[in-house]
Amino acid sequence: MTKSELNKYRNALEAKQAELARMLRNRDGIAIEKCPDALDEVQYATERELAIRSLDRDSNLLRNVRAALDRIEEGSFGVCLHCEEDISPKRLAAVPFTAFCIVCQEMADRSQYQGDDSLDELLITAA
Ligand SMILES: [Zn+2]
């Protein structure tokens, strides 16, 4: 990968990092500001749950973005952490913070999906 390509990814990642950090900060503010009405407790709990879940997702994303920036510094950016093959430039352009090539990512997604399936089977068996 050329230096200018690396710079392009670094800029994209730094912009993403700033955006996520800002979003996470703002959300903290909203959570503190919000005062639950007793009548709205259920709705509040649901909203809170959703907020926490998207907070989780954004924190994860932020961690991935920071890890990708670290990999740029270390010189290992663009290489799949699992199989050590180069990640395709097309994939990097779409998700510059990815740590895996498309093959390994699909494998991971599939095994996660199968995990859900066996959980369903477990629940059926339990019922
Ligand atoms: Zn791979």
Side-chain angles (χ1 to χ4, degrees):
M1 196 177 294
T2 67
K3 231 181 162 77
S4 75
E5 277 175 314
L6 265 184
N7 274 331
K8 193 181 71 190
Y9 290 124
R10 185 191 281 124
N11 287 339
L13 286 164
E14 280 173 350
K16 189 82 192 160
Q17 184 183 30
E19 180 197 325
L20 284 168
R22 197 172 50 237
M23 269 164 56
L24 287 166
R25 256 202 312 276
N26 287 344
R27 201 129 21 158
D28 282 351
I30 292 163
I32 294 162
E33 219 176 278
K34 197 160 179 175
C35 182
D37 189 311
L39 288 172
D40 287 335
E41 211 167 285
V42 173
Q43 199 198 342
Y44 177 71
T46 310
E47 276 174 20
R48 210 179 127 79
E49 170 113 348
L50 284 177
I52 289 170
R53 217 173 296 168
S54 76
L55 200 70
D56 271 358
R57 203 172 44 229
D58 289 344
S59 318
N60 266 334
L61 202 55
L62 185 59
R63 230 186 341 260
N64 287 340
V65 168
R66 284 189 176 141
L69 282 166
D70 284 348
R71 287 197 297 279
I72 287 180
E73 297 308 315
E74 287 165 7
S76 61
F77 180 79
V79 177
C80 175
L81 283 187
H82 185 251
C83 67
E84 298 182 349
E85 295 286 330
D86 285 349
I87 302 171
S88 80
K90 215 171 130 190
R91 176 162 166 75
L92 281 177
V95 265
F97 47 83
T98 188
F100 301 110
C101 71
I102 190 76
V103 177
C104 292
Q105 185 68 60
E106 277 175 0
M107 218 152 58
D109 290 348
R110 229 183 351 256
S111 70
Q112 208 169 13
Y113 179 68
Q114 280 162 358
D116 286 349
D117 264 356
S118 61
L119 186 69
D120 281 345
E121 275 171 40
L122 215 72
L123 289 171
I124 290 163
T125 317

